[in-house]
Structure formats: structure tokens, C-alpha cells
């Protein structure tokens, strides 16, 4: 895990949409930047492209300015990015999209001239065989979008996707990739979270050592009324996560391993270290930022095009002196687990696409997760005292794109 130190003086300068922005003079040992290589994608997933069609006629609220004419690929000179990154040589760059591997030329160009602390990438994995090993093997971490078993992944993402992704992952490992491979799972009502995570960990054909999952909730405006989120989250998802927490601790006791199930791991880490969280757990808007295809900087890559939430531009900004944001509105500001959750999602708080009552159901899933993990802390501490596991086994690279709060 990277340890970072922060010294700062805080000056409040504005509040917008319940998100407070502050000017901070601070020094971090490491910062994270998602470099959006393209807004395009080579898939039409049900929870992304499919829902965008269903919500095609809906716009954001009047207080959000969205620029839909962003360049589809990087439109700034790579030398400008190099100068920006050079001001913080310890930073981490994560390629993002759309699908970043659709812009192989830009990716290669950046990796040829810029040397950050680490490179990471979030990808659907379909084009990994198109990138030469000398680049693939430089990645410390790859977050690969796969949603579970072949049938479920193909249902969400398209026929044949699972098989192609697995083939490519096996290929890059044969060619020398030894970094962390994180299964990046999108969860909807067709997902049994317990069985799908177990599959990704135990599939004999190809298994992941790390799994991160994210609820598709609050991203679109009209989808809640089309779905049965309340029933599914109460009767399937929350009980399934509870079973995963039990399984996770059972593996510690039986095998002496702490599996990297990131939503569970991150919360357990905070509880074991007495860590209170004051900002978003993903690091968005204080240590983790996104750089658009036009060079503007955002707190979150999902916020692309939302001009009134830009935090600077790589031409004239310093990576260690960017404005910081945090959630500062009801119900989050009065929530009993705010110091564990951090406000969950910057995008959801700004756009408020689900109603307050609907979003409470999402909050219930987070509260249940915290309760379930908290209940296991005495047992975990006992396993540590018995020497079956070590406290350091819970360390991980924070802000690597694996969001702790699903």
C-alpha cells in the first residue's frame, strides 16, 4: 500500500449541488489521475449503452452544464500532459474511456514519453491482444470488466465477450504480465453477487485474485421505475454480500489468506486501523482526478463534459494544488456512517438522478455492508493474534479504481 502524507490549509470558496469545493495547499507522496483516452466504446452493454437509449430523451437538471461535443479522443499535445505529470513524478496514471484500447496510438505515445510512478488501466479486455507485451507488462494493475459467469457476462455485455476476454487474459499472462488483475463487476438485478464473485475467484479456466463490484444505481434517471431494485437489493444483494463476508473470513481461518474483495477489504482495513473517512472513498476530488480528452480536469471520470464542475486544465494547473471536493449535503452530512462511506458517489450526489427515497435503498446496501464487516472484526483480530493472518495482509493500493463503496 502507498502511504501518503498531507499538510494543508483549507479555505472554503464555494458550494454547488451539495458538493463543497475547497482550496487546499497540500503535498501528497502520490496522486492518481484517470487519463480518458476516448469517449468511444466498442461494446453496447445493457447497463450503459442500453440504458442510455431508454433515457435518451432525459436531460440533466438546469444547474448542470454538459458539453456533449468533447473530442472523441485525446486532443491535447502529449507534451502538455508530460509537463503536468512532471510536476508530480510520483503520480499514478490510469488509462480510461470509453474503451482506452481503442486509442492504441495515443496510449503508446503517452507510455513512450511519460514515466509516472505506476501505470494502470480500466478496460473491457477485448483488445488486449492488440497491445504489445512491452506495454502490457508495464501495467501495475489492470481492471478488466467481466461480470461473472460466461452467460451473465454475455447477457450484460454481448455474445462472445466473456470467451474473448478470458482468452486475452490468458495470453497476456503467457507473455509475461504479472501485475494485479482485478475483475471489475457491474451489478444489476440479474446478478447473484455471492455466486458470481465466487465464480470469478474459483473458475478453473481463469480465476482472478481480486474482485471489485459496483452497483448500477443512481446513474440514469428513468431506470428506477423500470427495475425492481428494492426487492432485489433486500432479498438477493444484501444477503449475498453477507454470505461473501462470511466466506471471506472463513478463507482467512482455513487458508491464512486475505482475499482482495475490495468493498469488504477496504471497510475492514478502516475498521482495523481506526480510520475515519472525510472524503469520498474512491479518492475522487482530493487524491484521484480525471483528465478529459480536451485536457480539463474533473473529480470523477463519470463527470465528463460537466463544465461547472471542472477543477482546472493540465495547461496551467499543478497536480498537487488542485481544488478538493467532498459531499456536504443531506442525507449524507447527517448519516451515521459518513466517516466510513464518505458520501459514496460524487456523480450521484451532483446529478441526483434517483429520488431521495429511491437512493435510500442504495444507502441501505452500504449500511448493511458496513454492519456485516464490522461484525467480523473481533474474529479477524483473533485470527491476527493467533498468527493465522497478519494486519499487513489487509494492505492494498488505495484509489486504484476499485471503489470501496459499491
Amino acid at each position: 500500500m502507498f502511504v501518503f502524507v498531507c499538510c494543508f490549509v483549507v479555505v472554503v470558496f464555494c458550494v454547488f449541488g451539495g458538493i463543497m469545493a475547497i482550496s487546499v495547499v497540500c503535498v501528497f507522496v502520490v496522486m492518481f489521475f484517470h487519463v480518458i483516452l476516448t469517449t468511444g466504446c466498442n461494446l453496447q452493454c445493457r447497463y450503459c449503452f442500453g440504458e442510455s437509449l431508454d433515457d435518451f430523451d432525459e436531460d440533466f437538471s438546469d444547474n448542470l452544464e454538459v458539453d456533449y461535443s468533447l473530442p472523441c479522443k485525446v486532443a491535447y499535445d502529449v507534451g502538455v500532459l508530460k509537463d503536468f505529470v512532471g510536476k508530480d513524478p510520483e503520480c499514478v496514471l490510469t488509462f480510461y474511456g470509453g474503451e482506452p484500447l481503442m486509442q492504441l496510438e495515443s496510449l503508446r505515445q503517452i507510455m513512450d514519453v511519460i514515466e509516472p510512478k505506476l501505470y494502470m488501466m480500466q478496460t473491457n479486455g477485448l483488445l488486449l491482444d492488440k497491445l504489445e507485451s512491452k506495454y502490457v507488462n508495464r501495467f501495475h494493475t489492470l481492471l478488466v470488466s467481466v461480470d461473472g459467469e460466461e452467460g451473465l457476462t454475455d447477457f450484460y455485455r454481448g455474445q462472445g465477450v466473456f470467451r474473448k476476454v478470458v482468452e486475452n487474459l490468458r495470453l497476456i499472462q503467457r507473455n509475461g504480465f504479472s501485475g494485479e488483475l482485478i475483475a471489475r463487476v457491474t451489478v444489476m438485478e440479474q446478478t447473484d453477487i455471492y455466486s458470481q464473485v465466487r465464480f470469478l475467484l474459483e473458475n478453473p479456466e481463469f480465476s482472478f485474485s481480486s474482485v471489485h463490484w459496483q452497483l448500477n444505481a443512481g446513474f440514469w434517471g428513468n431506470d428506477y421505475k423500470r427495475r425492481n431494485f428494492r426487492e432485489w437489493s433486500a432479498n438477493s444483494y444484501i444477503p449475498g454480500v453477507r454470505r461473501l463476508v462470511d466466506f471471506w473470513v472463513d478463507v482467512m481461518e482455513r487458508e491464512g489468506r486475505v482475499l482482495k474483495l475490495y468493498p469488504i477489504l477496504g471497510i475492514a482495513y478502516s475498521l482495523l486501523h481506526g480510520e475515519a473517512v472525510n472524503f469520498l472513498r474512491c479518492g475522487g476530488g482530493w487524491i484521484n482526478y480525471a483528465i478529459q480528452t480536451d485536457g480539463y480536469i474533473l473529480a470523477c471520470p463519470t463527470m465528463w463534459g460537466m463544465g461547472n464542475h471542472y477543477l482546472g486544465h493540465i495547461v496551467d494547473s499543478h497536480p498537487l494544488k488542485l481544488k478538493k471536493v467532498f459531499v456536504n449535503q443531506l442525507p449524507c452530512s447527517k448519516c451515521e456512517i459518513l466517516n466510513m462511506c464518505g458520501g459514496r458517489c460524487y456523480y450521484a450526489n451532483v446529478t441526483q438522478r434517483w429520488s431521495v427515497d429511491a437512493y435510500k435503498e442504495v444507502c441501505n446496501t452500504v449500511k448493511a455492508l458496513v454492519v456485516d464487516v464490522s461484525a467480523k472484526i473481533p474474529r479477524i483480530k483473533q485470527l491476527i493474534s493467533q498468527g493465522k493472518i497478519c494486519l499487513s495482509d489487509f494492505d492494498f493500493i488505495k484509489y486504484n479504481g476499485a471503489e470501496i463503496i459499491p
Side-chain angles (χ1 to χ4, degrees):
M1 181 193 70
F2 287 124
V3 178
F4 59 90
V5 178
C6 174
C7 301
F8 56 84
V9 177
V10 179
V11 180
V12 176
F13 79 95
C14 69
V15 177
F16 44 90
I19 303 293
M20 182 170 288
I22 56 180
S23 295
V24 183
V25 178
C26 61
V27 178
F28 289 96
V29 175
V30 57
M31 296 284 286
F32 292 74
F33 292 94
H34 285 71
V35 180
I36 302 176
L37 294 183
T38 177
T39 58
C41 187
N42 54 345
L43 286 178
Q44 296 182 352
C45 301
R46 287 177 182 263
Y47 39 64
C48 186
F49 179 82
E51 291 206 342
S52 71
L53 292 180
D54 290 330
D55 276 17
F56 188 76
D57 60 345
E58 184 189 6
D59 205 350
F60 292 98
S61 60
D62 293 338
N63 64 335
L64 282 176
E65 304 169 2
V66 183
D67 180 6
Y68 294 104
S69 62
L70 287 182
C72 65
K73 59 183 180 179
V74 170
Y76 52 80
D77 189 279
V78 172
V80 176
L81 179 63
K82 181 180 180 180
D83 291 342
F84 175 79
V85 171
K87 298 171 186 174
D88 177 21
E90 294 293 302
C91 75
V92 175
L93 295 187
T94 300
F95 292 125
Y96 196 88
E99 171 47 50
L101 290 175
M102 291 180 66
Q103 294 297 325
L104 289 172
E105 183 178 349
S106 294
L107 185 151
R108 294 187 189 106
Q109 188 180 9
I110 290 171
M111 294 187 77
D112 284 343
V113 301
I114 299 177
E115 290 288 343
K117 179 76 172 181
L118 298 173
Y119 273 112
M120 302 184 184
M121 179 164 59
Q122 297 200 30
T123 174
N124 61 35
L126 289 177
L127 300 175
L128 276 170
D129 58 331
K130 307 301 181 185
L131 184 63
E132 297 84 353
S133 296
K134 68 176 183 178
Y135 295 105
V136 174
N137 294 345
R138 287 177 62 190
F139 285 105
H140 177 278
T141 301
L142 292 176
L143 295 98
V144 182
S145 297
V146 58
D147 299 322
E149 297 172 354
E150 182 172 0
L152 182 68
T153 297
D154 286 2
F155 171 79
Y156 283 145
R157 305 181 68 75
Q159 189 66 34
V161 168
F162 177 88
R163 186 59 45 195
K164 179 59 176 176
V165 170
V166 167
E167 290 174 359
N168 283 348
L169 294 179
R170 294 169 69 181
L171 172 67
I172 66 171
Q173 288 191 330
R174 288 197 303 270
N175 290 339
F177 177 77
S178 58
E180 183 178 7
L181 278 174
I182 304 175
R184 189 175 184 269
V185 180
T186 300
V187 178
M188 286 182 66
E189 284 83 341
Q190 289 77 16
T191 304
D192 181 290
I193 188 66
Y194 176 77
S195 64
Q196 297 305 326
V197 170
R198 288 287 301 266
F199 170 83
L200 292 168
L201 294 170
E202 299 167 353
N203 176 24
E205 183 178 8
F206 187 89
S207 60
F208 291 84
S209 62
S210 309
V211 180
H212 150 63
W213 67 88
Q214 185 69 48
L215 287 170
N216 178 29
F219 191 82
W220 305 100
N222 293 322
D223 64 328
Y224 179 81
K225 61 188 178 185
R226 298 191 300 266
R227 298 166 57 183
N228 62 335
F229 184 86
R230 175 184 295 179
E231 179 183 353
W232 168 79
S233 62
N235 298 328
S236 176
Y237 177 75
I238 291 175
V241 171
R242 185 173 302 119
R243 292 180 67 193
L244 274 180
V245 173
D246 290 338
F247 162 76
W248 185 65
V249 180
D250 287 344
V251 170
M252 293 181 210
E253 187 163 13
R254 186 173 62 248
E255 303 176 21
R257 292 191 299 146
V258 178
L259 296 171
K260 285 189 174 179
L261 304 184
Y262 274 99
I264 302 172
L265 175 66
I267 291 172
Y269 178 93
S270 293
L271 292 170
L272 289 168
H273 288 83
E275 177 185 62
V277 178
N278 298 314
F279 291 85
L280 290 158
R281 290 295 299 248
C282 63
W286 67 282
I287 193 170
N288 202 345
Y289 292 83
I291 300 170
Q292 289 188 163
T293 53
D294 60 359
Y296 279 99
I297 301 167
L298 293 156
C300 170
T302 311
M303 303 292 293
W304 65 266
M306 297 185 179
N308 51 342
H309 290 275
Y310 290 175
L311 300 173
H313 193 282
I314 58 174
V315 167
D316 53 12
S317 295
H318 194 294
L320 301 177
K321 299 178 182 179
L322 294 170
K323 298 168 185 175
K324 314 298 176 184
V325 299
F326 61 96
V327 175
N328 187 47
Q329 68 176 32
L330 292 172
C332 290
S333 60
K334 297 295 184 180
C335 181
E336 66 272 19
I337 64 164
L338 178 60
N339 65 352
M340 187 61 58
C341 170
R344 185 178 177 267
C345 179
Y346 178 75
Y347 173 93
N349 275 279
V350 167
T351 61
Q352 299 182 14
R353 308 208 78 178
W354 278 16
S355 70
V356 172
D357 287 340
Y359 203 76
K360 284 180 181 178
E361 296 167 23
V362 183
C363 295
N364 288 339
T365 69
V366 179
K367 292 176 181 178
L369 174 61
V370 172
V371 168
D372 292 339
V373 176
S374 299
K376 298 297 182 183
I377 294 301
R379 185 179 173 195
I380 292 171
K381 288 182 176 179
Q382 185 178 37
L383 293 173
I384 293 173
S385 67
Q386 293 171 349
K388 291 188 175 182
I389 54 174
C390 300
L391 185 60
S392 60
D393 293 336
F394 295 82
D395 290 351
F396 62 97
I397 294 183
K398 296 182 178 181
Y399 323 116
N400 62 358
E403 301 166 58
I404 300 305
I405 305 301

